[in-house]
Structures are given as structure tokens and as C-alpha cells.
Amino acid sequence: MLNAQERDIVEVSGLVERIRFRSDDEAYTVCEISNDKGELITLVGALPGLGEGEEIRASGSWEVHAHYGKQLRVEYYEKQLPETPEAMLRYLSSRAVKGIGPVTAAKIVDKYGADSFEVIENHPDWLASLPGITARKAEEISRNFREQNGIRQVMMFCREHIGTSAAVRCYKRWGLSAVETIKNNPFILCEEISGVGFERADALARACGFETDDRRRVKAALHYVMKYNSSQNGYVCLPEEMLLRAAADMLEISRDDADMALDDCISDRTLCVVKLDGRRYVYLTSLYDDEKYIANKLKQLDRLCPAVNIEDIGRFISRIEEENGITYAAMQRRAITDALTSGVMLLTGGPGTGKTTIIRAVIQVLSQMGGDIALAAPTGRAAKRMSEATQHEASTIHRLLEMVYNDEDYPVFQRCENNLLDEDVIIIDEASMVDTALMASLLRAIKPGARLIMIGDADQLPSIGAGNVLNDLIESDVFATVKLKEIFRQAQSSLIITNAHAINNGDEPNLDAKEGDFFFLTRNDQSQIIPTIVDLCKRRLPATYGADIVDKLQVITPSRKGCAGTEQLNHQLQIALNPPGHGKREKSAHSVVFRTGDKVMQIKNDYDIEWVRDGHQGVGIFNGDIGRIESIDNSSEEIVIDFDGRVAVYDYNMLDELEHAYAITIHKSQGSEYPVVIIPVYDYSPKLLTRNLLYTAVTRAQQMVIMVGRQDVVTGMIANNQQTFRYTGLQQQLAGTVEV
């Protein structure tokens, strides 16, 4: 860990003179303090429960604001309540305690002097003896004061280990008992407080005197290993011996200690163990329940779907062919029929194989048959593309399920088993991106007798979350499945499509084309990759295709780190495409400078952000949505961003939801398409040098692909057909071979 000097951490102390700004959730505060020299110092950051007149000590790093000048970005702080009657009067008069204004403050301090805080906290009945303070008001004042003091105690207890924001969440979760709760079991932080991982909770536990082999510590480590592999590797379960070995090695304990802790977890029903193909696997119980539910509900949907006359469907298809002047290929006709006669139908295929044509036909037939249809996709961009392709409204799956946040800020779906969806047919696009937990939530909301159609490309990367749902369902061979292989004539002229299929088949793509829609620029010196990409974006492509091309291109790269990762690319592309200039305002946040005109991406779903488009209002900006910063207002502390015509206003405390998007990772590009895609190809992490990652990257482009880098890396990726392996049990659940 870096020391304070290496991190340029400074400490200041003084009296809070003025609260200039405070967000509703107290996650962001701007205040001024005066030190013992009478100097005013501006502090910014998470400063919950802070009031004017308080003495505080704060540590953090200096930064220079374009409008407000030098200010301290606070990492930790602690309050020291005033001790003199004069300071107490000032503090209470500032309305730092809800229910006390200047008049009431004067009454309390005049009566009790230096004992005022003791009376407020512990003797509300004494307060009620003062004129104008009822017993009810006295209890309210006392409660508010204790709450503020509780936050202070929590922050002072665990600030060095979990930080200010997490300390506030702890107080909101456990109230006045927060410190006692954490002392009894610091590992509860891992389970119930977002943003606190095992390492931080473990450091706090060791500071509290917990032994290396404490059962609570070992149980927490088992959960940590399970959750880490779920979120980072996409595993739904783990072989028992792998889990026990990982936990024992991490904690430096015996295998027996890990084994006994696992038994406790099983007894608690937080983990469960089953046999898959004769081998013992451990699940987070929630994921096991999800996987079991998926298998049972899908089989129920397939079993209960209403019968449809095949001859009627044939007549509907013929009518649509006549109306549209087209003739469906045999495989397309089969896919349309299967979609309309099966309770569960899976449609998979690469670009140019006609998936969209089939779905349009299915929607047309269903409309003529009078069925209610819902279209959805995992991301906002995928849903938008689905709407444009089908001319039928589509939403995100989260929006379809009406996700909201509960009182503890956890996402919950209002559409569920007790509030089923009304639609008779649910069509899900980009189904390869749907993870186990989301699939279970979707199925819980689908009424018995409805049909489910899942469309995707099984050869693309699997979901970011745990599971490999689409591939597992296809491999199970339980449900009607159509695999489209034929590239239709109109798509054969595109090198993007033919090269994508060549890559997917393990063949060398055509990288020598001098015209068309697919180009390879050889750069054997990896230090030249970023300069080449910058030159393409700034000079070469605009010179050839016009300045508008800049808004149509997207750089996608395998990794965040490395010589051509998103971090380096975004830095250099921002300098080239949107340098500082007169009238361009800036805002620094989380070591990133946002500037008017910047291309940015929303990195998590936010269903509460309001936007306006052509005078119409709406809500929701979603993970993967890309926009441009229109304006930055330092006085109101707001940034206005245009997301393809949806104009949204972000408070400064929301900037952790944004990052630059001149370059994004291939994983982040899933579910999206862009007119022009530029792909750096270099020696990145071996686990990323795979065929399906390269295939996914190429299939993001609509009009042009430009690769920059080394051809031998492309050859190596194509040769590496190691599919992203994931431990799951969905196929065994569908087959009924799971041993509990």
C-alpha cells in the first residue's frame, strides 16, 4: 500500500463555515472550512451528516477545479463535536440537527450550556420542559441527533478499511447498532453492503482480533471464491475440491477447516452441493435455484403451449410471401413454423443468415392471428436495433420486467410470478447475452401457455454474468432449434459477413482487399497501433468519407489495459478528436477529465434518469448507451448528454456511471452494431486470444471493418477455438440427471 506521501495525501482540520452543496443521498458534498490560520479550504466528496459549526479533520488529495479553483478531494474524515457553549450554539443554530433552528438552539444552550449535547442525546424529557418543545418534538430531536452521532461512530470505527460511502450504507442498513453488528461479524459487510469485498472486510476483522481459522472468516472466504468466479469467470458452480483448495490456500488454513466451514454453509442454505455427472459441485444456493427453475419453467412452457394448425400457418406464410414479394428458403419456412408451434424455440445463426427476416415473418403471422407480442433484448442498443429491424416496439428485458429499486437500493422486478406479463409471445434477441439470473427472472414473469422465442448467435461471446444459457439450451437438444448456416445472396458480397463466417469456421479471412468493406493495416511494431488508429479517426477516414464518418465509427478492443487497451486509446483519441479549447468546459471525476464534446458511454443500467427527445419525455439510460456531452455547468454541477436524440442531465455525483467511449471493449460492444468498426490486433492476454472474441468483434460492424496490427495474431486467434468454458448444470437439470 502506498504511504500518504507517495499518494500525495494531505490532512486538514478546521471549523465548517458553509455547506455550499449537498446531494439528496449525501454521496456528494461541497463545503468550506476555516483552519486555525483563518484560511478557507474547500472540501468535496462523501461527507455525510456534516453540519455547519462542526469541527472536522479530513484527509485527501488536492485538485484544481476549473471554476472553483483549488479544493481537497476527501477520502476520509471524522467529526469532532463542539465542546464550548458558544460553539454548540453556532452548530445547533445552523440547523445541523433536524428539528432545531436558531430559536430552539438558544433555548437549549441557555438552559444546559456545555451539557446541551448530553441532554439532547440522552434526556429528551428534559428538552420537553423548555417552552415551545413538545414531548413528541423532543423525541424527534433526540432521535435525529443520535442518528447523526451514529453515522459518526460508524465512520470513525471503519473508515480506514471500508471508506466513507460504505460507512454511510452501513448506518442506513443497521442504524444505531451498526458498529456492534460489524464488530460481532465484520464479514457481514461482504454479504449486505455493496462495494465491500472480502479483502476489506477481512482487514477489518483482523484489526478486531479475529483468528485466522475463525469459522466466520472461512465461510466468508468460501462465499467470496464462489462470487468471484461467478462475476469474473461466469461460473454458475464450482467443483467442490477446487473451491476447498482455493479457500484453504487463500486463507492459509487446513483443508479440514475449509471442509467444516462448507458444511456450515450448506446447513445455512447459503451454499449447496449436488452431483453432476458423478462429480460434486458447489453452488450459491440462489444460482442453483435459478438454474433449476429455468429448466422446469422452460419444460412447462413447451408442454403447455396451445396447439396450432400447421396448415393454417402454411397459409399465413404464403400470404406474407405474396404480400411482400418474397419466397422464404426451406430452412426459413421451417424456422417460422417452429416458432409458431413450439412453446420454446431457439434460433441461432451468424450475420447474413436471415434471422431478422424470420422474426419479421413471425411477427406478421402472429399479428394476423391476433397474438400479443413482446420484443426485448438485454441492452438498450440491442433493443433499439431490434425495433428498427422489425418495426415493432422493443424494450430491454429489465424494462419489460419493470425493474425498480427497493428501499435498500437493490433492483427488483415488479413483473414476477405474482404479476405476470400479459403477452402471449415473448421474443428475445441477442439471447447469448442473457445470464442465468436474468433468464430466471424473465421466466418467472411469463405466464403458462405463452411462447418463448430466443434469437442469438451461439458462436459469439457468452453473457457477462454467470451462465451460458443459450448455448446450454441448444446443446441440450430438448427444445425446437433451428441453426442457420446459409449466407443469403445479398450478403455474400460483403467481406464483413464472409470473413466473419470464415473466422467462425476456422478459415483464414481475406485480409488483402484494397477496396470493399474490410481492410487490414499491418503494424508489426505494436507502438504504432494507437498512432495509426488516431490518424484513421482524425485524418484518413474523414478525408475519404467526409467529416461525418467520425460520428459513425467505433474503436473496439479486447482489453482495458495494454498497449492498445481502452484506457490508452481513449486518452489519445480524446486528445486528437476533442482537445481542450476556448469555451470547452471540463469536469474531473475519478481520474478522468470529461469535456464538452466528449463521446461517453453509460456503464450500468439507470432506470431513473430522465430524458427528453423532440419534446417527449422518458426515463432510463442503459448500460452500453453511447452519447456526446453537450454542456457542462459547474455552477449547477450538471452535465448534459445527448444519447442519439435523448437528452439527459447528469449530476456530478452520477459521473461514476460514465466513461469515455472513443474506444470500448469487445465485451461492452455485445448487443450493439456500429457503421464502422476499428479493431486493434496485438499481443494481449492469452485468455483473450480466442476465435469467438475475434468473431464477435467483426460482427459488430455494419458497413466497414478496419483491423490494425499483426496478421499472425489474427491467425493465432482463429486457430484457438477454445470456447469460453463455464461450469454450469443447466443441461443436467434439463436431462433430470442432477443428484441432490
Side-chain angles (χ1 to χ4, degrees):
M1 183 177 289
L2 298 176
N3 61 41
Q5 188 176 8
E6 290 171 327
R7 298 167 62 204
D8 294 324
I9 298 297
V10 298
E11 186 174 280
V12 299
S13 59
L15 182 73
V16 179
E17 298 284 353
R18 178 188 173 200
I19 305 290
R20 291 212 315 242
F21 172 81
R22 174 180 286 141
S23 62
D24 291 340
D25 60 358
E26 298 195 72
Y28 186 78
T29 298
V30 181
C31 72
E32 291 176 344
I33 69 169
S34 58
N35 61 17
D36 55 4
K37 297 179 182 179
E39 299 168 330
L40 285 179
I41 302 171
T42 300
L43 307 183
V44 298
L47 301 165
L50 193 64
E52 294 177 357
E54 290 183 301
E55 293 278 350
I56 72 166
R57 183 167 67 248
S59 59
S61 54
W62 293 112
E63 62 181 31
V64 180
H65 192 281
H67 183 71
Y68 296 112
K70 189 177 182 181
Q71 54 191 23
L72 189 73
R73 173 70 58 177
V74 176
E75 294 188 11
Y76 303 111
Y77 93 101
E78 60 184 41
K79 296 193 291 184
Q80 299 170 311
L81 290 175
E83 296 180 355
T84 67
E86 293 79 12
M88 289 180 176
L89 177 61
R90 179 178 179 183
Y91 172 70
L92 294 173
S93 297
S94 71
R95 302 185 186 276
V97 179
K98 188 178 180 181
I100 300 180
V103 175
T104 303
K107 291 179 183 177
I108 296 171
V109 177
D110 285 346
K111 176 72 172 178
Y112 299 111
D115 297 324
S116 294
F117 287 172
E118 165 69 17
V119 172
I120 294 173
E121 183 171 8
N122 298 314
H123 303 285
D125 55 321
W126 295 9
L127 289 182
S129 68
L130 296 174
I133 302 180
T134 64
R136 182 177 178 180
K137 184 177 180 180
E139 287 289 349
E140 181 185 349
I141 290 171
S142 183
R143 183 176 65 253
N144 292 334
F145 186 85
R146 289 195 302 273
E147 284 182 359
Q148 290 189 353
N149 193 43
I151 293 176
R152 182 175 65 88
Q153 290 176 350
V154 175
M155 289 177 58
M156 292 184 66
F157 172 67
C158 54
R159 66 184 181 90
E160 294 183 4
H161 299 289
I162 68 171
T164 302
S165 298
V168 174
R169 291 195 290 274
C170 289
Y171 184 79
K172 288 182 177 179
R173 175 68 178 87
W174 297 299
L176 295 173
S177 64
V179 172
E180 183 181 356
T181 300
I182 298 168
K183 281 183 177 179
N184 288 337
N185 182 13
F187 299 103
I188 197 172
L189 295 167
C190 307
E191 300 295 324
E192 301 197 28
I193 304 299
S194 62
V196 181
F198 175 81
E199 293 96 336
R200 296 166 78 183
D202 192 40
L204 182 57
R206 302 306 295 271
C208 293
F210 276 58
E211 298 294 332
T212 301
D213 59 353
D214 188 288
R215 189 67 59 83
R216 292 165 293 182
R217 181 174 187 249
V218 185
K219 288 169 64 177
L222 291 170
H223 283 96
Y224 168 76
V225 173
M226 292 298 302
K227 289 181 177 180
Y228 178 87
N229 279 281
S230 171
S231 62
Q232 299 301 312
N233 297 322
Y235 297 159
V236 179
C237 54
L238 278 179
E240 183 183 43
E241 68 273 14
M242 182 186 295
L243 169 64
L244 294 174
R245 184 173 60 251
D249 290 347
M250 182 176 73
L251 301 181
E252 298 181 341
I253 60 173
S254 71
R255 165 70 183 265
D256 288 343
D257 285 334
D259 210 350
M260 288 187 289
L262 177 59
D263 288 340
D264 284 353
C265 292
I266 294 170
S267 297
D268 297 341
R269 264 203 54 83
T270 55
L271 300 179
C272 63
V273 177
V274 301
K275 277 189 178 180
L276 305 176
D277 302 326
R279 188 181 185 187
R280 287 169 62 89
Y281 286 81
V282 182
Y283 280 84
L284 291 167
T285 301
S286 59
L287 280 176
Y288 175 78
D289 291 342
D290 283 345
E291 209 172 60
K292 183 178 180 180
Y293 185 87
I294 290 170
N296 291 336
K297 183 63 177 282
L298 285 173
K299 288 191 286 188
Q300 181 198 63
L301 290 176
D302 209 40
R303 186 175 66 251
L304 297 180
C305 74
V308 180
N309 191 307
I310 299 271
E311 293 181 359
D312 289 343
I313 292 175
R315 285 193 292 272
F316 278 119
I317 294 174
S318 297
R319 185 187 305 170
I320 291 171
E321 287 180 321
E322 185 178 347
E323 290 174 354
N324 297 331
I326 60 173
T327 301
Y328 296 116
M331 188 61 73
Q332 289 180 311
R333 183 176 278 267
R334 178 197 154 185
I336 297 167
T337 302
D338 282 356
L340 295 167
T341 56
S342 306
V344 178
M345 188 266 189
L346 313 170
L347 176 63
T348 182
T353 56
K355 295 192 299 294
T356 301
T357 300
I358 291 168
I359 294 308
R360 286 200 201 101
V362 169
I363 292 171
Q364 284 185 274
V365 173
L366 286 170
S367 298
Q368 293 185 22
M369 295 173 66
D372 293 327
I373 314 166
L375 272 61
T379 69
R381 293 184 71 89
K384 180 183 177 183
R385 197 175 74 250
M386 193 182 190
S387 295
E388 292 169 347
T390 62
Q391 299 300 302
H392 193 285
E393 183 181 356
S395 70
T396 65
I397 297 174
H398 290 76
R399 175 70 69 190
L400 177 70
L401 301 181
E402 299 177 12
M403 196 200 86
V404 297
Y405 290 94
N406 62 17
D407 294 339
E408 297 179 354
D409 286 334
Y410 285 109
V412 294
F413 295 115
Q414 296 186 93
R415 292 289 187 171
C416 56
E417 290 166 307
N418 298 321
N419 185 24
L420 297 170
L421 294 167
D422 299 321
E423 289 81 5
D424 305 304
V425 181
I426 312 295
I427 303 176
I428 303 298
D429 199 10
E430 297 289 350
S432 63
M433 298 178 64
V434 180
D435 61 35
T436 299
L438 183 58
M439 186 67 189
S441 295
L442 172 65
L443 289 171
R444 287 188 177 95
I446 297 177
K447 64 185 181 183
R451 302 182 192 275
L452 175 64
I453 302 168
M454 298 180 68
I455 311 150
D457 188 344
D459 294 315
Q460 289 186 22
L461 295 171
S463 59
I464 294 173
N468 199 0
V469 175
L470 179 64
N471 191 69
D472 282 349
L473 294 180
I474 292 171
E475 293 299 317
S476 74
D477 202 26
V478 172
F479 307 105
T481 302
V482 176
K483 301 177 182 178
L484 302 174
K485 298 288 187 181
E486 180 186 356
I487 305 174
F488 285 90
R489 187 173 60 253
Q490 60 267 32
Q492 292 176 356
S493 60
S494 168
L495 269 180
I496 295 174
I497 291 175
T498 57
N499 276 347
H501 283 270
I503 291 168
N504 197 37
N505 294 330
D507 302 323
E508 288 290 327
N510 180 0
L511 302 181
D512 300 322
K514 303 302 180 185
E515 58 183 30
D517 59 6
F518 198 109
F519 304 93
F520 194 97
L521 304 181
T522 300
R523 296 294 185 272
N524 291 320
D525 183 351
Q526 295 189 165
S527 67
Q528 293 304 305
I529 291 177
I530 287 185
T532 300
I533 292 174
V534 170
D535 189 49
L536 282 167
C537 297
K538 185 177 181 178
R539 185 184 64 83
R540 293 177 61 179
L541 289 173
T544 304
Y545 300 100
D548 291 346
I549 192 72
V550 175
D551 292 325
K552 298 178 181 179
L553 60 85
Q554 182 62 59
V555 180
I556 61 174
T557 185
S559 177
R560 297 183 65 87
K561 306 291 185 179
C563 69
T566 57
E567 292 181 359
Q568 289 291 331
L569 278 163
N570 274 317
H571 178 66
Q572 295 299 326
L573 287 167
Q574 185 193 36
I575 293 173
L577 301 177
N578 191 34
H582 181 69
K584 288 186 182 180
R585 293 188 172 180
E586 298 180 350
K587 168 60 184 174
S588 296
H590 312 291
S591 304
V592 175
V593 176
F594 293 106
R595 184 175 298 135
T596 303
D598 270 343
K599 186 177 183 180
V600 294
M601 180 173 63
Q602 177 77 12
I603 59 174
K604 64 181 182 181
N605 291 328
D606 192 323
Y607 294 85
D608 298 321
I609 298 179
E610 298 179 353
W611 50 261
V612 177
R613 178 167 57 195
D614 299 329
H616 299 286
Q617 292 184 324
V619 292
I621 302 294
F622 306 108
N623 187 4
D625 284 353
I626 292 176
R628 293 272 181 187
I629 295 178
E630 285 194 339
S631 65
I632 298 175
D633 190 333
N634 288 316
S635 60
S636 64
E637 299 190 330
E638 293 177 339
I639 292 181
V640 178
I641 305 173
D642 185 338
F643 294 93
D644 293 328
R646 296 171 298 155
V647 179
V649 179
Y650 282 65
D651 294 329
Y652 279 2
N653 63 345
M654 298 165 60
L655 297 184
D656 61 344
E657 299 183 13
L658 297 171
E659 61 184 33
H660 285 133
Y662 299 101
I664 63 176
T665 64
I666 296 171
H667 284 85
K668 276 291 186 184
S669 74
Q670 285 182 268
S672 300
E673 288 184 346
Y674 313 93
V676 180
V677 168
I678 300 175
I679 309 168
V681 185
Y682 60 99
D683 278 335
Y684 29 83
S685 171
K687 71 177 184 179
L688 297 174
L689 293 168
T690 62
R691 183 188 298 177
N692 67 338
L693 187 130
L694 183 63
Y695 172 74
T696 300
V698 170
T699 55
R700 299 308 88 205
Q702 297 170 312
Q703 301 171 17
M704 186 186 300
V705 168
I706 304 173
M707 287 186 176
V708 182
R710 292 165 41 193
Q711 293 196 23
D712 64 303
V713 175
V714 173
T715 300
M717 294 179 75
I718 294 170
N720 181 11
N721 194 31
Q722 181 179 354
Q723 297 294 314
T724 305
F725 176 77
R726 295 189 166 182
Y727 289 113
T728 72
L730 183 55
Q731 291 188 56
Q732 290 90 337
Q733 289 283 5
L734 288 164
T737 60
V738 177
E739 298 179 51
V740 180

